[in-house]
Amino acid sequence: MSITFDGMGLNADGVGCSGAFPGTLNGVRYLVSAGHCYRPGAQVSEVNGQVIGSYESGTPDDLRAMSFGYSLIRLNNNISTNSITFEPGPHLVNLYAVDMNPQTGQQICLSGWTSRSTCGSIAEVHDNYILADGMGSEQGDSGGVVYRSTGYGKGAIIGILIGKNDETHQSIIQPVGNLFWAIESDRGAQLIPDFVY
């Protein structure tokens, strides 16, 4: 048995990404990642080689238009999930909620496979994307969960990492509300995040 966690490293057809968080859609368990990570039908493994499932559906990201899709990995039956991630320290953080109303200036953190855990602040908030300063991100972090600490070892998901602007060095984040909309528009049903309380 293997356990997925928020920000875990993923590999499919030689493409490395990060998992954001687990969720359920029409009674089926999935792990969410970024749209540009999607490889139709490809098996997905942890970085240690353990197969956790396969890409079942997704829509692409369009970075030029700042329009983002999603990817869903259908988890195998022997895979357990949790909503635990790490913050700098490292300390465990239980992601127990979503924040649909992020604000400029808020401190946020990324949990991605390459950068592990790194934090910064929100510079701009738009309907389709968020820009963050000082967070840092690298190849392989795409799809990693971005959250804000709510204290006492808990946090609220604000979105997933898409990438980084090479000129401004700002991190580009897909807001969780836009991510849910992309999934529901394509699949016709709402993804329910799996949280551990």
Side-chain angles (χ1 to χ4, degrees), residues 3 19 25 53 56 64 66-67 85 127 147 159 161 183 186:
I3 299 176
L25 181 75
E56 183 177 276
R64 290 183 179 174
M66 298 298 271
S67 175
T85 194
D127 289 341
Y147 66 94
L161 183 79
I183 295 169
D186 188 52

Side-chain angles (χ1 to χ4, degrees), residues 10-131:
L10 307 173
N11 188 294
D13 289 345
V15 176
C17 280
S18 298
F21 54 88
T24 303
L25 181 75
N26 290 329
V28 177
R29 297 179 314 126
Y30 294 95
L31 184 63
V32 179
S33 192
H36 63 275
C37 296
Y38 180 54
R39 300 293 182 270
Q43 279 195 335
V44 181
S45 63
E46 296 180 67
V47 293
N48 67 7
Q50 169 74 38
V51 174
I52 63 167
S54 58
Y55 281 112
E56 183 177 276
S57 63
T59 56
D61 295 327
D62 183 348
L63 197 54
R64 290 183 179 174
M66 298 298 271
S67 175
F68 306 114
Y70 76 96
S71 64
L72 289 182
I73 299 158
R74 184 169 182 153
L75 296 171
N76 291 341
N77 290 335
N78 66 326
I79 303 299
S80 296
T81 63
N82 68 40
S83 56
I84 304 297
T85 194
F86 301 91
E87 66 179 358
H91 304 288
L92 293 176
V93 178
N94 178 9
L95 300 180
Y96 73 103
V98 296
D99 182 352
M100 300 281 205
N101 190 31
Q103 301 293 314
T104 301
Q106 279 182 329
Q107 296 297 302
I108 57 174
C109 294
L110 160 70
S111 183
W113 180 246
T114 307
S115 298
R116 301 293 195 228
S117 184
T118 180
C119 300
S121 61
I122 296 176
E124 298 179 25
V125 177
H126 304 270
D127 289 341
N128 294 343
Y129 65 95
I130 296 167
L131 298 178

Side-chain angles (χ1 to χ4, degrees), residues 112-172:
W113 180 246
T114 307
S115 298
R116 301 293 195 228
S117 184
T118 180
C119 300
S121 61
I122 296 176
E124 298 179 25
V125 177
H126 304 270
D127 289 341
N128 294 343
Y129 65 95
I130 296 167
L131 298 178
D133 289 329
M135 192 163 67
S137 58
E138 302 296 335
Q139 187 173 353
D141 288 333
S142 292
V145 65
V146 179
Y147 66 94
R148 66 174 180 83
S149 174
T150 59
Y152 303 102
K154 294 188 176 183
I157 298 168
I158 69 155
I160 65 172
L161 183 79
I162 298 300
K164 179 173 65 178
N165 184 311
D166 290 331
E167 294 180 3
T168 66
H169 303 290
Q170 290 179 311
S171 296
I172 303 168

